[in-house]
Every structure is written in structure tokens, then in C-alpha cells.
Amino acid sequence: MQRSHLLRNGAYRGATAAAVSGRAARPVLARATAPASPMAHLLDAGVLPQQQMMQAGKLSSHALTSQYLARIRSLCSTGARAHAGIEINPDALKIAMEMDRERQVRKVRGPLHGIPVVLRDSIATGDRMKTRTQAPSAAHAGCDSFIASRLRAAGAVIIGKSNLRQWAAVSMPHASASWAGLTILAVDSEADGSIVAPASTCGLVAIQPTGRVAAGLAGGAAVAGPMAPSVREAAWLLAALSGDGQADDAVLDLASLRGRRIGVARSLFGHCTDTDAVIEQALQVLREQGAELVELPAPEPGADAIGDVLRGQGLDALVGPTCRAAPLAHSVQPQMTVPAGMAHGSPVGLSFIGACHTEMQLIAMAYAYEQATLHRRTPALPSSITEALR
């Protein structure tokens, strides 16, 4: 069974059924404060509720996309630093309408059908948006990159790109776009840990896939990966991005940590202030969920030795705090971060690092941890934005 087929037809239908009964029906996104309006709640609730509303005929992709665009404009007008410098796709509403027409004739491409997505602006798209590198210049790409074409094939609405020219003014723009609720999903490219590290500090789930991807990225970026509010949504987005047709038996299972042998990468501790205590609590949760934790002996692994450590110790994964200072930014091994709590008001992420091509195994373990803790919190938006969406 193809990876994307497994996630689309297994986890997607299973999640829809679970939404009406049982423990699996617990919301992935726990809210710190009550929503200001039903629409504001829907924008932050996640892909699954949005898809359920569209399936029931109570929401259209056009309306959903319009509301995200309204939120972007409202946030931009406030001058808030959370605004991520998004270049809007002028064709976004047109694409959304086409996805609505397909749904009307019962052509639904999967869980991302009609869902808005923001791309890093180094990812080439064959439309009227420009593709930028680290240099200030920009140009129209003329054709879609592999990533953009896979997203379009999955039915996603590419709503815009994050502006690298504002990198210095707005820290970690792509993660900030998702954190601020400007979109529910985002795709970033790895450069010095720019997938998992910013996602962690914004309280998001992110996956840095295995190795290098010939994805049509400008500026020599190594790999592109998903950012999302939950593990399930990140898995759906990764399946759409991969398009590799590889078979995989992994599923989203609450018991996926049971019997796992996981190494505690102590070399990752101490790099990020005030996070170690949060991660120690996360380790306790892993034990309670049935994982066997192994304290790795010195010397600790660097980026080039992770695979050897995993094989030599018979480990399913390594875990530790997610932070930019860790020596993993250029590792070919996949890494995934999931919210682990807060330290002094800032989100802290727990990283799962695996052997090459074990993304689905990391997803399964991260899902079990996420559902056991539900640490994710949606951001508190300025009242001017929530009022505009009433």
C-alpha cells in the first residue's frame, strides 16, 4: 500500500469516524482561551474539522480561503511582528473554487482537498508568485517544483509564500505564519535547522525528512518538510509532499510507544535555556506509555554518527529537546518535533530522531506522545483580527 494511500484512506477515514466517539475523539488542539467567533475557532481547529464541515456542505474551500486571507490582511494592518511577510497567491480563490467544484461532483483528492497551505518562497511555483533566494532578487519560476506539483495534485490551495526579505525583521517567518493562524499548514525548507527549530519555538509539529530532496528549491536548500498544528496533519502533508509510492505499514496508533527502545540523546540537552526540565517530564510520559529509555554513553552522537548509534544500541529512535544549537541541522536522518509544554511562556518541542527512511515510525511514536499529553496551544490573536472574522 502506498504511504499516501495509507494515510489518506486509513488515518483520514479513521479520524473522521473517531470524531464521533471514543478516546481518539479528543481534540488534538487544546485551546488556552475561548474562541472569539465560530469562524475564528474553525480557522484554528485543524484540517479534520474543516474537512468534516466541507463534507457536510456547511463550508466551502472558497469561504475558508477567504477567511484566512482576511486574517492575513487584518494581522498585517495591526503591524504585529507575528505577520510573516506573506506574498498572497492572486489565484488562491480561483483554485479554491475549482476544489469546490470537484467536491460537488464527488471528486475529493484526499485530506488536503481545499485546504490552504503556505510555502517557503524559495519553493518554485509556476504561477504569478515569485520565487526568492537568500538574495533580494526574485523571479517567476515558470513551472511548479516537485513540491508544488504534489501539493496541487493533493488538492491543497497554495495561498501564498513567506517572504525571506523579512527574515531579519520577523524571526522564523514560515513557522510564525502557522503560529499566528495565517494558515493551518506550511511547508518549509531545511537550512540550519529551519524546519524543526522554528516550529518548536512556535508550538508546532514539524518533520524534517530523510536526506536531500530534488524539490526545485532555490538557494541550495537541502530538504523540504511540513509544519502543522498536529501530528496527524503533518503526516497528511508529508504524504502529499513525498509522492514516492513507497509501501509502509505504519498507522496512527495510541499504543505506538509500547515496547519501543528509545535513546536519550543527552548531547541535545543544555543547548536551550529552561527547556531541560520540560523534556525530563516528556521522558517520564514516554516511560508511562511503555517505551524503554536508554541513556546513551559518552561520547554523545553528532550528526554523522546518529545512524551508527541507532544500529549499535538497537534503538528505534533518539529523543531530546528541539533547538537550533543541536548538531542535527545537516544530518540526513529524519527528525520530528512535537510540542512538549512551555518554559517561561515559550513553547518547548520534543524531538524524535530516527534512522533514514523511518519517518512513518517517528510519526507513530510522536502521535502516541502527542495524544498522551495534548500540549499544543493555539495562539491568542489580537482582538482586531477576531473581530474582523465575526
Side-chain angles (χ1 to χ4, degrees):
M1 181 181 295
Q2 290 185 356
R3 172 187 300 170
S4 58
H5 181 76
L6 172 70
L7 285 169
R8 181 182 300 119
N9 296 315
Y12 178 46
R13 285 202 299 263
T16 302
V20 296
S21 64
R23 182 176 182 273
R26 294 189 305 166
V28 171
L29 304 185
R31 179 172 291 276
T33 58
S37 71
M39 180 55 73
H41 172 75
L42 184 61
L43 295 186
D44 297 326
V47 173
L48 180 58
Q50 292 170 355
Q51 285 289 357
Q52 290 171 334
M53 291 283 285
M54 286 191 280
Q55 290 169 5
K58 298 178 180 179
L59 178 69
S60 67
S61 175
H62 184 274
L64 184 64
T65 302
S66 296
Q67 289 298 313
Y68 278 119
L69 291 175
R71 178 175 279 187
I72 291 171
R73 287 190 290 267
S74 296
L75 189 58
C76 182
S77 68
T78 67
R81 287 178 60 83
H83 175 55
I86 290 181
E87 177 188 2
I88 297 299
N89 183 359
D91 300 322
L93 291 177
K94 179 181 177 181
I95 297 169
M97 290 179 66
E98 179 59 30
M99 293 303 101
D100 288 333
R101 283 192 287 267
E102 290 189 3
R103 189 180 294 274
Q104 289 173 0
V105 297
R106 300 184 183 279
K107 179 183 178 182
V108 178
R109 306 186 187 195
L112 301 187
H113 189 103
I115 301 298
V117 177
V118 166
L119 306 183
R120 181 169 181 164
D121 60 7
S122 59
I123 299 175
T125 56
D127 50 29
R128 289 186 283 171
M129 290 187 294
K130 294 181 179 180
T131 299
R132 293 180 174 86
T133 64
Q134 298 294 344
S137 61
H140 296 287
C143 64
D144 277 346
S145 62
F146 176 82
I147 289 174
S149 65
R150 291 304 303 175
L151 287 171
R152 295 192 202 276
V157 178
I158 300 176
I159 195 173
K161 291 185 176 183
S162 186
N163 191 340
L164 290 181
R165 289 179 297 177
Q166 295 192 15
W167 185 275
V170 182
S171 177
M172 297 166 277
H174 327 347
S176 297
S178 290
W179 177 85
L182 305 188
T183 179
I184 201 68
L185 301 174
V187 177
D188 202 350
S189 56
E190 185 276 318
D192 297 325
S194 63
I195 296 177
V196 294
S200 170
T201 59
C202 290
L204 296 171
V205 174
I207 305 171
Q208 179 178 312
T210 299
R212 300 186 65 87
V213 176
L217 297 174
V223 64
M227 289 180 174
S230 75
V231 172
R232 187 187 303 279
E233 292 158 329
W236 285 342
L237 188 50
L238 181 65
L241 293 174
S242 62
D244 54 16
Q246 294 182 1
D248 204 309
D249 295 328
V251 295
L252 301 179
D253 188 345
L254 296 173
S256 294
L257 284 167
R258 192 172 301 160
R260 296 290 189 182
R261 184 174 164 87
I262 299 176
V264 179
R266 289 295 172 185
S267 62
L268 303 184
F269 288 70
H271 292 280
C272 301
T273 306
D274 301 322
T275 64
D276 288 0
V278 173
I279 299 303
E280 290 294 345
Q281 295 174 2
L283 298 181
Q284 183 57 36
V285 172
L286 298 179
R287 295 186 187 95
E288 292 170 355
Q289 294 300 308
E292 176 190 356
L293 299 189
V294 178
E295 293 284 343
L296 295 179
E300 301 292 353
D304 297 331
I306 294 173
D308 291 338
V309 171
L310 289 166
R311 288 187 295 270
Q313 298 288 334
L315 301 174
D316 294 298
L318 305 180
V319 292
T322 307
C323 62
R324 191 175 296 273
L328 294 173
H330 299 294
S331 171
V332 298
Q333 277 76 25
Q335 182 178 1
M336 183 169 185
T337 186
V338 62
M342 306 286 287
H344 297 286
S346 298
V348 174
L350 174 68
S351 270
F352 291 82
I353 305 114
C356 291
H357 307 294
T358 60
E359 286 87 344
M360 298 304 287
Q361 180 171 289
L362 298 183
I363 287 169
M365 289 185 283
Y367 177 77
Y369 172 78
E370 172 194 64
Q371 293 299 293
T373 57
L374 297 178
H375 282 307
R376 162 71 178 164
R377 295 292 183 270
T378 53
L381 296 173
S383 58
S384 59
I385 297 174
T386 54
E387 287 293 330
L389 295 176
R390 286 188 182 275

